[in-house]
Amino acid sequence: MKSIFKSVFLYALCVVLLSCEKSLDESDPEISGQSIQPSARLNILTRAGDEDPSENPIKQGRIYIFNSDEECIALLTTDESTNSATTELPAGTYTLYAVGGEDLSRFTLPTKEAATPASVITRAEGKVMDDLLLKSATVTLSDNENLNQTITLDHKVFSLKAVEVANVPSNVTAVTLSVAPLYQSVKLDGTYVNNPIGSYQVSLTKAATGNTWGATPNQMLFPSKGTPTIKVSFTTSEGTQSYSYTASEELPANHHFTIKGTYVAAQGIALTGILTASDWGEDRTVTFNFDETNIPVAGTRHDGYYVVSVNQTARTALLRATSNVPFTAPGNTAADAPESQWLSAFDAALASYPKPADAVGDWRLPTYEEACIFLTDASLYTATKTAVYFCLKNGALNWCYVADLTATPPTVSSGANYNSSYSLRPVITISY
């Protein structure tokens, strides 16, 4: 009898505990301020931010929906026939991130599971850049609400429609034009990624008659990072002559960009860049003048960089970085880690440092002889004592600095007992 009573009691106790567990779950109607069950309908209409959106429908679209905890809880797709999507959601506040374009397969887009507002969108490997539009919006849904939300997307690229250079000398066999630095990716939230930075180059074709070379790439590109450098190169049997110019303003997204230039033998290249907005944005005109003064000269500035040396035969120049490059040292002093680890730390830091438009190769440590050139140039320093820089002396890692720039000549000191407080100021070779 006791055994039967005990079994019944234990069974009843389990039922009560299970009932309590279910009751606790059901009595918690909110998770992060949002109902568990869908109780509202959200209708999303996407369109391009043009004067007449009907002429430029968004052919493909994705809408990432994030809850208040920045978790992606839904991923919707749209096409040009409807430009809209509908979903049912619990009441709460949501952030919508919309992505649109002609062909989204040309970009790497985050999956629903991996998506965050900081997810990076870049050109897919082996694909050609196309139009890309982004925009975000925040919505708040109430129980039983049917909300219509229109999202007007912004172009995050510009279009290089055409390039033309007239009056090209008859002995020229090839003409190219390049633009740099350009962003290479953008985050889902619409902000551009600072590194890596790239460039775009287009080859021109000689017209059937006359001395005009041109191209119509109609290429979509991410905007420039700051003011870009535009370089035009002429190739002849004697080699390649280049003319470069740092523009006075940025190349922004949401514009069509046309470059027209004329070669003037006494002055070099005179280029006029026209930003034609079409139905994207307002018209703009930017003028570029290219002449022989753009050739680098040792001891002067070239596109903002200090010129360490120039090789006129090879038509190359060695430039010093405009600032020190931060790095993560493997230790506090040279005794804390082998030289190879210090050099690896420098390589890691320099790999993502932006390069000049005409760079040949990568950033590197200056040799002792190269460092002596800029260390003894008093025009670079406001104090009589220079900073302490890393360099390579006879192939080994060293430090070097000048204690008194007023001395004649200034004396460069160096040594191998370096530490993490010293400055990494790299150099790089460019062509011109």
Side-chain angles (χ1 to χ4, degrees):
M1 204 53 192
K2 276 185 177 181
S3 177
I4 296 174
F5 177 81
K6 184 177 179 181
S7 298
V8 171
F9 174 79
L10 291 175
Y11 174 79
L13 179 61
C14 290
V15 170
V16 170
L17 290 175
L18 290 172
S19 176
C20 289
E21 182 179 357
K22 181 177 180 183
S23 176
L24 286 172
D25 287 344
E26 291 181 344
S27 65
D28 185 13
E30 293 189 347
I31 298 177
S32 300
Q34 295 161 1
S35 303
I36 295 176
Q37 297 299 322
S39 60
R41 179 182 293 269
L42 177 62
N43 308 304
I44 307 168
L45 174 66
T46 60
R47 64 188 184 94
D50 299 328
E51 293 179 2
D52 185 359
S54 64
E55 294 183 0
N56 294 280
I58 297 175
K59 291 189 175 181
Q60 294 182 3
R62 288 190 182 185
I63 303 167
Y64 296 82
I65 302 178
F66 288 79
N67 62 16
S68 56
D69 292 328
E70 291 194 347
E71 298 171 332
C72 185
I73 60 170
L75 174 56
L76 312 179
T77 60
T78 68
D79 57 43
E80 62 180 326
S81 63
T82 61
N83 288 325
S84 64
T86 298
T87 186
E88 293 184 350
L89 296 168
T93 298
Y94 301 89
T95 303
L96 317 178
Y97 292 94
V99 182
E102 295 281 320
D103 181 3
L104 292 182
S105 70
R106 300 183 184 221
F107 298 91
T108 58
L109 297 176
T111 62
K112 170 181 171 292
E113 293 72 22
T116 71
S119 291
V120 175
I121 301 173
T122 188
R123 177 180 60 85
E125 186 175 356
K127 299 283 189 177
V128 177
M129 274 272 289
D130 207 334
D131 196 9
L132 180 68
L133 304 94
L134 298 175
K135 196 60 174 288
S136 63
T138 300
V139 298
T140 298
L141 296 173
S142 302
D143 285 329
N144 303 317
E145 183 177 11
N146 191 346
L147 178 65
N148 296 319
Q149 176 69 38
T150 299
I151 303 179
T152 302
L153 280 68
D154 298 327
H155 296 280
K156 302 302 290 185
V157 297
F158 75 85
S159 170
L160 182 57
K161 290 184 63 177
V163 176
E164 181 182 291
V165 178
N167 200 29
V168 177
S170 57
N171 65 332
V172 171
T173 57
V175 179
T176 61
L177 180 141
S178 64
V179 183
L182 301 177
Y183 289 110
Q184 298 296 287
S185 53
V186 64
K187 296 179 182 178
L188 191 60
D189 64 10
T191 59
Y192 294 101
V193 181
N194 287 326
N195 286 306
I197 298 299
S199 62
Y200 176 75
Q201 178 173 299
V202 58
S203 298
L204 280 59
T205 302
K206 190 176 186 299
T209 59
N211 293 321
T212 297
W213 292 63
T216 54
N218 287 313
Q219 179 61 56
M220 299 291 184
L221 300 167
F222 285 117
S224 66
K225 180 184 180 183
T227 53
T229 297
I230 299 177
K231 183 177 76 171
V232 177
S233 300
F234 290 162
T235 299
T236 67
S237 58
E238 298 179 354
T240 300
Q241 173 71 52
S242 299
Y243 304 86
S244 61
Y245 176 79
T246 300
S248 59
E249 62 182 79
E250 301 177 4
L251 298 181
N254 196 40
H255 293 276
H256 292 95
F257 185 39
T258 298
I259 301 175
K260 291 185 177 181
T262 300
Y263 176 76
V264 180
Q267 298 179 0
I269 289 285
L271 289 179
T272 299
I274 303 174
L275 287 174
T276 56
S278 182
D279 57 348
W280 284 25
E282 77 281 2
D283 292 347
R284 295 184 186 178
T285 299
V286 181
T287 300
F288 303 95
N289 294 315
F290 289 77
D291 54 39
E292 298 298 334
T293 61
N294 295 110
I295 294 177
V297 177
T300 65
R301 299 279 179 175
H302 177 75
D303 291 339
Y305 296 90
Y306 177 80
V307 181
V308 180
S309 61
V310 175
N311 186 328
Q312 294 184 350
T313 302
R315 299 194 64 81
T316 60
L318 185 70
L319 307 183
R320 188 183 79 149
T322 56
S323 61
N324 296 329
V325 179
F327 65 95
T328 302
N332 293 322
T333 68
D336 294 335
E339 179 183 290
S340 60
Q341 291 186 15
W342 286 83
L343 294 176
S344 295
F346 297 154
D347 290 341
L350 298 178
S352 60
Y353 192 68
K355 298 179 183 179
D358 311 324
V360 178
D362 300 317
W363 290 106
R364 61 172 176 81
L365 283 174
T367 65
Y368 172 77
E369 293 75 18
E370 293 165 346
C372 285
I373 295 174
F374 61 77
L375 283 172
T376 56
D377 190 334
S379 67
L380 295 176
Y381 305 97
T382 57
T384 58
K385 180 180 178 180
T386 72
V388 184
Y389 298 102
F390 288 102
C391 69
L392 290 175
K393 188 174 184 179
N394 298 322
L397 184 59
N398 268 236
W399 56 263
C400 56
Y401 89 115
V402 171
D404 186 4
L405 281 166
T406 63
T408 306
T411 301
V412 179
S413 300
S414 65
N417 56 330
Y418 45 83
N419 64 60
S420 59
S421 68
Y422 296 160
S423 300
L424 175 60
R425 198 65 169 266
V427 294
I428 196 169
T429 300
I430 66 164
S431 63
Y432 66 91

